[in-house]
Amino acid sequence: MKIPYYPGCTLKTKAKDLEDSAIAAAKVLGVEMEELPQWNCCGTVYSLSTDDLIHQIGPIRNLIRAKEQGSDRLVTLCSMCYNTLKRANEFFLADEEKRDRINRYMDEEMDYAGDVTVVHLLEILRDEIGMDKVKAAVKKPLTGLKVSPYYGCMLLRPASIGIDDMERPTVMEDLLRALGAEVIDDPYKTECCGAYQTVNRKDVVVTCVHSILTSAQGNGAEVVALSCPLCDFNLDNRQKDIQQAYAGFHTMPVLYFTQLMAIAFDLDESVCRFELSSQDPRPLLKSKGLIA
Amino acid sequence: MKIRLSRDRVRGEFVKRVEMISGQDLLQCYQCGKCSAGCPAAFEMDILPSHVIRLAQMGQGEELAKANSYWICLSCQTCTVRCPRGVDIAKIMEALRLVTLRQKNRNKVEATALPMELLVELPQIAIVSNLRKMSG
Ligand code: SF4
Ligand code: SF4
């Protein structure tokens, strides 16, 4: 299956580990993610005001790029891109007058009708590939690895665009089980990491992430799995700041769900780009016999 | 806190602006407090989300101008999806940010003031999302 793919900015730099591992792991399952030949930043956050049409144009332009590829679907990996693109499309569909205004404003593009469906890779795995097929592709089961899935906000809220039940999602759990991991159920899995406060109110992020990670650890997790580069920065890189704020805090590795897929599919370790992690996951993975 | 109520305020410009930008009917809120109970950033807010809505209903723009709540808000949407009255609180928080940011020179974070080491450390997604929320 070929599907146009929207990477978003961070996947080309600090979250290359998400992009490389995802493309390689999806390929094993017969999903060819083809990057749009042309795309722009989605804006990272969906505009929450009724009258701010200019910030809807960035995401809508990317949906038009998918149309130009002859597709009515677009796949994303970054949770924030997913949310922004999907909500912008919803906004566009809901209001005919605003739709016309946006179309009139974008005079270089074809008119857009709101007919591109934004999907997240996790949805494709669940709804189109199926977890049985994922399981069949596993060569090195993640046996004995205690993984706590972390969804954060943008994959789930609001319900109209969420990929799963917003209070009790299970798609990552099902995937991790198919990969052979031991899944840790953690009540903080849908709690916000502190998001963009990481720029000017790092202390807020430190408090939020400390609660999330100590809860996961208290439930027995050795590693957290996620899908968003902003969550990843806050949960992984900000552990240094947590150590300073909370004596006795133990660090732990944080991985993208796609890196865990790549390991379980026994792909070349280079696609995981472990060197981009702040908390090196390699000692744990080695101790479990999952990497050499 | 002393609050002056009057018809002029409750039907005033501030209420109209917040309702227009957010697309929400403030009087839908019946003050159950569920939004505040689940807010992951409430620990750092000087006024809880449900109290922010109450002050907004009463047209207390000056009180709200002093609050840090909507600058601390993470736009996580937890309040929005749980409100039994269907109030999109995250949109009201955004409207309150915009009421300030749409005035001249009222940015909360200035892109040009961010130190170089921080810009190097942060992923683009953090910088862009922060500036989208904290500057006009
Ligand atoms: S959850 Fe809704 S009804 Fe309850 S206090 Fe918050 S805004 Fe008001
Ligand atoms: S969107 Fe803002 S106010 Fe609502 S729960 Fe999240 S942080 Fe709290």
Side-chain angles (χ1 to χ4, degrees), chain B residues 27-48:
Chain B
L27 290 174
Q28 284 300 313
C29 166
Y30 57 17
Q31 288 292 295
C32 69
K34 195 167 183 175
C35 49
S36 299
C39 173
F43 68 91
E44 203 53 35
M45 293 181 180
D46 43 20
I47 301 178
L48 292 172

Side-chain angles (χ1 to χ4, degrees), chain B residues 6 18 20 32 37 40-41 44 48 54 57 62 64 67 80 86 115 117 122-124 126-127 133 136:
Chain B
S6 68
V18 172
M20 190 278 286
C32 69
E44 203 53 35
L48 292 172
R54 187 62 174 156
Q57 287 176 332
E62 298 90 338
L64 285 170
T80 295
E117 319 86 78
L122 293 170
Q124 295 105 307
I127 302 168
K133 296 289 175 178

